[in-house]
Amino acid sequence: MGHSCETFANGVLEALAAHQGAGAVANNARIVPGFHPTWDDEDGAVTLIHDCGPESLVRLEASVAGQPRWLTLNLDLGVDAFDPGDVIGIVAEIAGDGEAELTMFIRTSGEDGEVDTELAEPLALAAAPHVATALHTVGRGDNLAGEERFHMLGMRLPRRDFKLDIKEMRVFVLPAGHGLRSRPMTLAGAAD
């Protein structure tokens, strides 16, 4: 049986695949439960149009004015614990309107508030549809390591006009006990 965050996230993505709809999405509004965009509406204005259909999980087209400090697409991962050495992977078939790197983070919420863990690898974006993979080995110092808490994956979107087509996406977690790492062990990283 897989990690519950893997199961939860892929359940949200399956609901997105079953969703048929299009139109403007408001800031922090759910496209389906567990999947929503957020942006800074104090320093910028964003008009975000979504289209979910049989060809893609979701297509997004954004018009951005001003300089919003953030613009993210968020996927809830649910409640569980991550151990140092766990590998979190995101695999997506995606396309955009230019080459870019979509950096990601996992926001962890608990009684002491929210903390972010930057993921080690971004998803590469290009004009032609392609499969992009990002892996992150959980380190001892990562904010998401430790006790059972709520986690959310955040994908930073371009803070300019853009088009993004997510044709397919999956999240997976390889337990530390499997002995796999997303990058080679180095002397500096041995403490992780």
Side-chain angles (χ1 to χ4, degrees), residues 102-159:
L102 303 178
T103 61
M104 295 175 288
F105 61 92
I106 292 180
R107 178 158 293 156
T108 301
S109 303
E111 294 178 4
D112 53 349
E114 297 179 338
V115 290
D116 292 346
T117 300
E118 294 294 323
L119 298 191
E121 297 179 355
L123 286 177
L125 186 62
H130 68 286
V131 175
T133 304
L135 301 174
H136 179 83
T137 300
V138 177
R140 293 188 195 288
D142 284 355
N143 294 318
L144 61 83
E147 64 200 47
E148 190 171 275
R149 292 176 285 177
F150 178 82
H151 306 281
M152 179 194 75
L153 173 70
M155 180 186 308
R156 291 185 183 92
L157 301 173
R159 291 177 293 158

Side-chain angles (χ1 to χ4, degrees), residues 144-179:
L144 61 83
E147 64 200 47
E148 190 171 275
R149 292 176 285 177
F150 178 82
H151 306 281
M152 179 194 75
L153 173 70
M155 180 186 308
R156 291 185 183 92
L157 301 173
R159 291 177 293 158
R160 56 165 172 77
D161 294 359
F162 71 86
K163 292 180 183 177
L164 176 66
D165 185 0
I166 303 175
K167 295 189 171 297
E168 185 60 71
M169 184 172 170
R170 285 289 176 256
V171 174
F172 62 89
V173 179
L174 300 174
H178 286 195

